[in-house]
Amino acid sequence: MSDSKNPKAIPRRAFLKSAGLTTGAIGAAAVLSGVPAEAATMPGAAKKSAGYRETEHVLKYYELARL
């Protein structure tokens, strides 16, 4: 099943194996980097959101969506 047209072609299984190993290495490097997850977040992300609010346009949508 080798490709005789291109002698430098990588077999599919070898490619998938190397891709999996690369992904695993990147994941391990991220875990072992020693940076806590909280420090890696954006400073503005710590703000608490207002959450869900039923504003006038949301109530209008609910009214129009009733069957």
Side-chain angles (χ1 to χ4, degrees), residues 1-2 4 6 18 26 28 39 42-43 45 48 50 52 55-56 64-65:
M1 298 205 77
S2 66
S4 60
N6 188 356
S18 65
I26 291 171
M42 305 257 317
K48 192 164 183 128
Y52 177 79
T55 58
E56 183 179 338
L64 294 173

Side-chain angles (χ1 to χ4, degrees), residues 50-63:
Y52 177 79
R53 290 180 284 170
E54 288 187 349
T55 58
E56 183 179 338
H57 71 278
V58 172
L59 294 174
K60 183 69 173 178
Y61 172 80
Y62 288 160
E63 181 182 329

Side-chain angles (χ1 to χ4, degrees), residues 14-40:
F15 172 76
L16 292 174
K17 182 179 176 183
S18 65
L21 290 173
T22 303
T23 304
I26 291 171
V31 170
L32 298 175
S33 68
V35 178
E38 296 172 58

